[in-house]
Amino acid sequence: MDFGYKTKNDERLQIAKLIKTADEWKVPAAYMLYCGDTEYRSKLECDRTHPAESLCRDRDRAGVAAVSALVAQTAVGLYGAQSGVAAFHDAVPVEDIASPDGIDAPIVPLARGLSGDLERLLRDPQRGSRRVAKEMLRPVQQIKNGQFAGAAVMGRANQVAGALFQDVPSDHGHFTVPYLAHVLRGLRTEIPSYVRDILEGRTPPAWVTERLGGIVVITDADAPSTALSESRPNGVPQGPLLAYPESDVPDAPGKAA
C-alpha cells in the first residue's frame, strides 16, 4: 500500500488533493485502513513494537484502523512506496477509540503551555467526538516530537466559524498545515447545515451531493435527554449539539447506528 500515488492526468499526489479538499470542507483529513486479520497482517514488513510489546502487525483489533492524513503524508516523504506500512504502525484501531475501557492517556507535550478547554482536552480523559479527535492527534504529536523543528510558532491559526477551539497555535512543525488546528477543527459548536439537512430528512444542496459519495451520521445513544434544547414540531432538537440520541432523530436518510 502506497499513499504517494497520482491519478491519471494529474501531477498532484492524491494525498495532497485529499488535504486540500478537507480544507475546503473545514474537516480533518484521514484514511480508514482495512488491514485484515493477524494472518493477513503477518505479511507486513513492519517489525516495530507497541507499548503492549506486540509487533505492529500482530496488534489486536488493528484490522480496521484510522490514521490522520498528516501522518500518511509524513510517511510518504520518509518511506516512499512503503508509506502504507509506516502509516499502519501509527494508525489507531477504531475499537480502541470507541471502547469506553480504552486507555486515554494525556498528550502531555502538547498540553504544556496551553490553557483553558484545549489544555483540558489533551490532559483529561475524553469520550465521544472529543475522544476521536484526541486519538487522531496523538500520533501526529508523536511525529512532531521527533522533528528537528524550531520553536513552536506562537501565533494563532485561522479557525473555522463554529470551531470548538478558536485559540489554537499555528505551529506547522514539518507538516504542510497547522497540525493542531487541522485535526481539531472537526469539533464544532454547531452542526454544519448540510448535516442538519440529513438529520431532518432533507436532501443536502447540490454543492454537497455532487461532490460527496456519501455521508454517515453516527448518533450518540448515551447523550442525556436533559442536554437537548427545545424541539421543533417534528421532534428534532435544536441547538449546538454535535450528536443526537437516536430516539430523538426521525427516520433520516444517511443515519447510521
Side-chain angles (χ1 to χ4, degrees):
M1 179 172 57
D2 177 14
F3 288 105
Y5 64 88
K6 301 176 182 178
T7 52
K8 187 176 180 180
N9 299 323
D10 195 333
E11 288 302 311
R12 296 174 299 170
L13 295 179
Q14 188 275 341
I15 193 169
K17 293 193 291 183
L18 172 64
I19 293 174
K20 182 178 185 299
T21 300
D23 286 341
E24 295 175 358
W25 289 86
K26 308 304 181 187
V27 296
Y31 288 93
M32 190 70 70
L33 306 182
Y34 300 93
C35 303
D37 56 18
T38 52
E39 181 179 357
Y40 177 84
R41 297 197 302 271
S42 67
K43 301 179 179 64
L44 293 175
E45 296 178 5
C46 181
D47 59 359
R48 288 183 287 175
T49 58
H50 284 257
E53 300 302 323
S54 62
L55 295 179
C56 179
R57 62 193 181 198
D58 297 329
R59 284 182 295 163
D60 291 337
R61 305 178 305 281
V64 180
V67 65
S68 167
L70 302 184
V71 172
Q73 189 178 47
T74 300
V76 170
L78 293 176
Y79 301 102
Q82 293 299 313
S83 59
V85 174
F88 170 69
H89 172 82
D90 293 317
V92 183
V94 172
E95 287 187 45
D96 287 355
I97 297 176
S99 172
D101 300 323
I103 297 175
D104 185 6
I107 303 181
V108 176
L110 282 178
R112 293 175 183 148
L114 301 176
S115 60
D117 291 340
L118 180 54
E119 187 270 341
R120 286 188 287 273
L121 171 80
L122 303 178
R123 182 194 64 200
D124 300 336
Q126 305 295 329
R127 67 180 297 276
S129 56
R130 294 187 184 214
R131 172 74 182 275
V132 174
K134 184 177 179 180
E135 293 307 317
M136 294 297 288
L137 179 61
R138 192 182 302 279
V140 175
Q141 172 264 327
Q142 291 169 346
I143 292 173
K144 172 62 175 63
N145 285 350
Q147 294 175 346
F148 292 99
V153 177
M154 298 308 294
R156 292 300 185 247
N158 295 324
Q159 266 293 9
V160 301
L164 185 60
F165 302 106
Q166 292 289 336
D167 189 22
V168 180
S170 61
D171 183 27
H172 280 65
H174 290 174
F175 302 111
T176 57
V177 296
Y179 57 93
L180 267 172
H182 179 87
V183 176
L184 297 179
R185 66 186 175 185
L187 297 175
R188 310 283 184 88
T189 60
E190 58 186 23
I191 297 174
S193 60
Y194 58 90
V195 177
R196 185 173 289 280
D197 285 339
I198 293 174
L199 288 170
E200 298 183 0
R202 296 187 298 270
T203 300
W207 68 268
V208 174
T209 59
E210 291 175 357
R211 299 178 66 190
L212 289 182
I215 298 175
V216 177
V217 177
I218 301 176
T219 59
D220 187 354
D222 295 327
S225 58
T226 55
L228 297 178
S229 52
E230 182 181 356
S231 295
R232 291 192 176 91
N234 65 0
V236 178
Q238 304 181 76
L241 298 176
L242 295 179
Y244 290 82
E246 187 171 2
S247 59
D248 288 289
V249 181
D251 293 335
K255 185 179 70 177

